[in-house]
Amino acid sequence: RVRWNPFLCVQVPVARAHLFSFLLATASHASANVCSISQSAASGQAGTRVTIRGTNLFGTLGTQITQVLLAGVPAFIEESSPSLVIAVASRGSGSGDIVLTSDSGAMARKENAWTYLTNGEIRSVSPQSGVGGTLVTIFGDGLLGGATNMSNVTLAGVLASIVYFNNTVVVVRAGYSPNAMTGDIQLRSSTNA
């Protein structure tokens, strides 16, 4: 996390999320079932929003998904229905299966379907202070979090205009605010990272 102040700046590492959609075969009863995924192994990092689609994901008697594991790491479940599960990845490392478990005990699994990426990191910001209209260059690694586009950037909670971006450099024009503020720099990619 990097802090932005129109007059002063303090730096700390930042993490971003990633959005991925998966199509899973369904759990048709309360026993374990193997899932299929519409693409090869997916990847993400802490905060990645994962959308899993299928039918009868709860199994025959289930009413909700009670656990999502991404490479063995529990993910936070935002939403679950018999055909859709939205989960947010926790901090983890390595690769492994995607596993859904419902309250009926039904399990859906796709082997070797998830890989954790190294979290992106902002290394420096120039300038470290400014006013509305100031061009700000953000340097780092993995700034797109695996995505191909940057969707928005905020400096101390104020939306900035994106001028240029790639995985190591993002250039923005600071937005205007009636008050001097100090706060985080937040990057959000096109995949909701």
Side-chain angles (χ1 to χ4, degrees):
R1 187 168 288 203
V2 173
R3 312 268 316 165
W4 166 264
N5 177 335
F7 305 102
L8 177 51
C9 186
V10 179
Q11 296 181 28
V12 231
V14 75
R16 283 162 323 286
H18 234 325
L19 174 68
F20 285 97
S21 295
F22 299 97
L23 180 62
L24 298 181
T26 62
S28 59
H29 50 75
S31 63
N33 290 275
V34 176
C35 302
S36 62
I37 189 169
S38 62
Q39 61 194 55
S40 60
S43 58
Q45 51 189 289
T48 298
R49 178 171 280 128
V50 182
T51 302
I52 302 163
R53 297 180 192 279
T55 58
N56 200 24
L57 295 175
F58 296 165
T60 304
L61 302 173
T63 60
Q64 65 182 346
I65 294 296
T66 56
Q67 184 176 54
V68 174
L69 297 175
L70 303 173
V73 179
F76 173 77
I77 300 168
E78 283 189 343
E79 178 182 336
S80 74
S81 75
S83 61
L84 173 78
V85 175
I86 299 175
V88 178
S90 300
R91 189 168 300 275
S93 62
S95 299
D97 301 348
I98 295 175
V99 180
L100 303 179
T101 305
S102 79
D103 58 351
S104 71
M107 293 180 69
R109 173 186 309 265
K110 173 62 179 171
E111 294 181 1
N112 299 313
W114 182 259
T115 300
Y116 277 97
L117 299 175
T118 302
N119 285 335
E121 182 179 351
I122 294 176
R123 298 209 180 269
S124 66
V125 177
S126 180
Q128 294 186 354
S129 62
V131 296
T134 300
L135 280 177
V136 178
T137 304
I138 303 162
F139 300 94
D141 297 310
L143 298 178
L144 292 172
T148 57
N149 290 305
M150 184 66 59
S151 113
N152 70 56
V153 175
T154 58
L155 306 173
V158 177
L159 189 62
S161 300
I162 299 169
V163 175
Y164 172 81
F165 64 87
N166 66 34
N167 209 35
T168 59
V169 177
V170 176
V171 178
V172 297
R173 186 172 306 281
Y176 292 91
S177 173
N179 303 313
M181 297 168 25
T182 299
D184 297 337
I185 293 177
Q186 294 185 342
L187 309 175
R188 183 168 303 272
S189 74
S190 59
T191 57
N192 207 32

